[in-house]
């Protein structure tokens, strides 16, 4: 998703980006500066190129980038203690909904957002579900199955979600993020569940047990990962034969490091990402100006060109580089193979399922019959 800045924007060398992510001490303390909590790695690099550096240049205000774990505990601790150090937080849709319901975020309705590239009001340009009471859509990303192509030279390479769960035809370890989301959806899909019935099934104990039974079949092969870059390292170091991975990280690793990691789009689970402002943020007004700036269609397209996540705005899509487009989660081809994560459902039910999943993951292995396909 490149913009009219196509050609002007190029990927920064890793050393240069690392320097950008390490702000000088004088700038951090500058009055009116803001702190953005994001996820680090290739994703943060895309934000530096698309949003942070241009905002610094335009406003002459410093932006510090810090990493967060991707859960609500850090945000909750800051807000409840009254010691908020973040001004902007990058959040999944599920977390943005939960945090808003808990009163951890400022409401952003009425925030003046740039019109579309053709002058339409912003509300008509953002894709459905990309504007929340406490969040403004940034991008759409997907979790895919990935494998190292060089590991399958002369062999049949995996190509389906079912292949991930087939240890006989495709032996070797499997990398998985240690999280209920995606893993439970994948397990049910691999067991024959229709995409439209996944969340209805997971509302029952029987449906949850069905999903865990599928995962139990590959438990001896699972290698857990927690950071996005870790999944790709596992593949390139041949520590796993396949792994779940964030699609944009696969794209970035291949482009920047010349990797040969391939993504399997069948069964991809996609979700929206949001900008939010913590309640009690010390520089809330500057934070809101940053969000308005970062969600301009041109800015979103620049990020898409860096990491191949789809823009949250329709008018940004035509600005994306043609070479990047096949790797976007929202292309008709990739979207047709995927499942939209139900953020509202996970916000209501996630705590229960996450606890059950972690108990299973940390518990003893069990002998489980192959669950019957429905």
């Amino acid at each position: 998703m490149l913009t009219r800045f196509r050609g002007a924007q190029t990927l920064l060398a890793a050393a240069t980006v690392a320097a950008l992510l390490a702000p000088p001490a004088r700038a951090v303390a500058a009055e009116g500066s803001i702190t953005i909590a994001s996820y680090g790695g290739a994703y943060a690099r895309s934000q530096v190129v698309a949003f942070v550096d241009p905002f610094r240049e335009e406003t002459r205000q410093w932006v510090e980038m810090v990493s967060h774990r991707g859960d609500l505990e850090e945000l909750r601790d800051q807000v409840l203690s009254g010691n908020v150090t973040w001004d902007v937080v990058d959040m999944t849709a599920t977390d943005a909904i939960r945090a808003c319901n808990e009163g951890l975020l400022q409401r952003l309705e009425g925030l003046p957002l740039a019109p579309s590239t053709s002058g339409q009001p912003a509300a008509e340009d953002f894709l459905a579900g990309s504007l929340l009471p406490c969040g403004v859509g940034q991008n759409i990303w997907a979790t895919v199955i990935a494998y190292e192509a060089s590991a399958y030279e002369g062999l049949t390479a995996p190509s389906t979600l079912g292949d991930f769960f087939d240890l006989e035809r495709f032996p070797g370890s499997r990398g998985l993020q240690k999280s209920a989301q995606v893993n439970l959806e994948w397990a049910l899909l691999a067991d024959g569940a229709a995409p439209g019935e996944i969340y209805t099934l997971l509302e029952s104990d029987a449906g949850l047990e069905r999903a865990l039974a599928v995962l139990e079949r590959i438990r001896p092969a699972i290698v857990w990962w927690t950071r996005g870059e870790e999944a790709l390292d596992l593949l390139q170091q041949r520590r796993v034969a396949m792994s779940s991975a964030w699609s944009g990280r696969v794209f970035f690793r291949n482009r920047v490091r010349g990797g040969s990691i391939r993504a399997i789009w069948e069964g991809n689970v996609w979700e929206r990402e949001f900008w939010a402002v913590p309640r009690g943020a010390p520089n809330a007004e500057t934070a809101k100006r940053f969000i308005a700036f970062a969600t301009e269609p041109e800015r979103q397209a620049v990020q898409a060109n860096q990491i191949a996540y789809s823009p949250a705005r329709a008018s940004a899509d035509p600005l994306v580089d043609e070479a990047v487009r096949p790797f976007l989660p929202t292309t008709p081809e990739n979207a047709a193979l995927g499942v939209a994560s139900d953020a509202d459902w996970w916000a209501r039910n996630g705590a229960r399922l996450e606890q059950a999943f972690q108990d299973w993951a940390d518990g003893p292995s069990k002998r489980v019959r192959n669950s019957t396909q429905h």
Side-chain angles (χ1 to χ4, degrees):
M1 300 179 171
L2 258 200
T3 78
R4 66 188 76 166
F5 306 118
R6 184 185 302 133
Q9 295 292 340
T10 58
L11 286 169
L12 295 180
T16 303
V17 175
L20 289 171
L21 295 177
R26 61 147 187 90
V28 173
E31 184 177 354
S33 65
I34 59 172
T35 298
I36 298 174
S38 186
Y39 299 98
Y43 184 69
R45 294 184 185 105
S46 75
Q47 292 174 319
V48 168
V49 172
F51 315 128
V52 173
D53 268 359
F55 186 78
R56 288 170 177 165
E57 294 169 6
E58 181 167 302
T59 66
R60 301 301 178 186
Q61 291 178 305
W62 187 253
V63 178
E64 180 185 8
M65 295 282 287
V66 299
S67 294
H68 65 70
R69 295 192 303 262
D71 58 42
L72 293 186
E73 289 305 314
E74 290 175 287
L75 175 64
R76 191 178 289 118
D77 288 345
Q78 288 190 27
V79 173
L80 295 182
S81 69
N83 184 28
V84 180
T85 60
W86 300 339
D87 298 294
V88 180
V89 186
D90 186 321
M91 311 183 78
T92 65
T94 298
D95 281 346
I97 293 169
R98 290 178 57 202
C100 190
N101 291 341
E102 289 185 34
L104 302 177
L105 301 175
Q106 298 188 25
R107 300 184 74 87
L108 298 178
E109 299 107 327
L111 188 68
L113 301 172
S116 74
T117 55
S118 61
Q120 292 177 304
E124 298 176 16
D125 192 37
F126 276 85
L127 301 180
S130 295
L131 290 175
L132 296 175
C134 297
V136 180
Q138 178 185 169
N139 60 59
I140 297 169
W141 56 280
T143 302
V144 297
I145 296 165
Y147 66 92
E148 172 57 59
S150 61
Y152 287 92
E153 289 182 4
L155 302 172
T156 299
S159 60
T160 69
L161 177 63
D163 292 343
F164 187 87
F165 290 90
D166 190 340
L167 297 179
E168 293 185 8
R169 290 185 61 230
F170 297 94
S173 297
R174 303 294 197 259
L176 283 175
Q177 185 180 15
K178 199 174 183 183
S179 171
Q181 286 186 260
V182 178
N183 290 331
L184 295 182
E185 284 100 330
W186 274 359
L188 289 178
L189 288 172
D191 201 46
E197 64 179 344
I198 288 175
Y199 296 109
T200 300
L201 289 170
L202 287 175
E203 287 191 1
S204 69
D205 290 340
L208 173 59
E209 288 302 318
R210 177 181 169 185
L212 293 178
V214 176
L215 291 167
E216 185 68 34
R217 297 204 299 264
I218 65 168
R219 181 203 280 266
I222 294 175
V223 177
W224 299 114
W225 60 265
T226 56
R227 296 178 297 102
E229 302 299 313
E230 189 179 357
L232 306 183
D233 291 340
L234 289 172
L235 289 168
Q236 292 192 317
Q237 295 165 8
R238 305 290 181 89
R239 293 175 57 195
V240 299
M242 289 180 247
S243 180
S244 63
W246 297 328
S247 61
R249 304 273 181 143
V250 173
F251 171 85
F252 189 92
R253 179 70 65 100
N254 289 340
R255 173 184 274 191
V256 172
R257 300 190 187 179
S260 59
I261 299 175
R262 301 291 179 262
I264 298 172
W265 285 93
E266 182 185 281
N268 75 85
V269 179
W270 58 270
E271 185 170 357
R272 295 171 179 83
E273 197 72 16
F274 288 82
W275 294 116
V277 178
R279 181 161 61 87
N283 298 290
E285 292 309 309
T286 303
K288 292 174 184 177
R289 286 197 294 274
F290 172 83
I291 291 174
F293 175 85
T295 55
E296 293 175 359
E298 295 84 359
R299 293 285 117 221
Q300 289 195 344
V302 172
Q303 186 190 31
N305 276 329
Q306 300 296 311
I307 200 164
Y309 288 150
S310 300
R313 300 189 65 157
S315 67
D317 191 73
L319 304 176
V320 177
D321 192 1
E322 288 299 324
V324 176
R325 192 170 299 281
F327 304 97
L328 299 178
T330 55
T331 65
E333 297 80 8
N334 293 336
L337 296 172
V339 175
S341 179
D342 190 330
D344 288 308
W345 188 92
W346 276 106
R348 296 192 308 270
N349 298 281
R352 174 181 65 87
L353 292 183
E354 191 63 42
Q355 185 62 59
F357 176 84
Q358 296 298 334
D359 288 345
W360 169 81
D362 294 335
S365 180
K366 303 173 185 176
R367 294 180 63 87
V368 179
R369 297 175 304 169
N370 287 352
S371 52
T372 304
Q373 293 195 357
H374 293 254

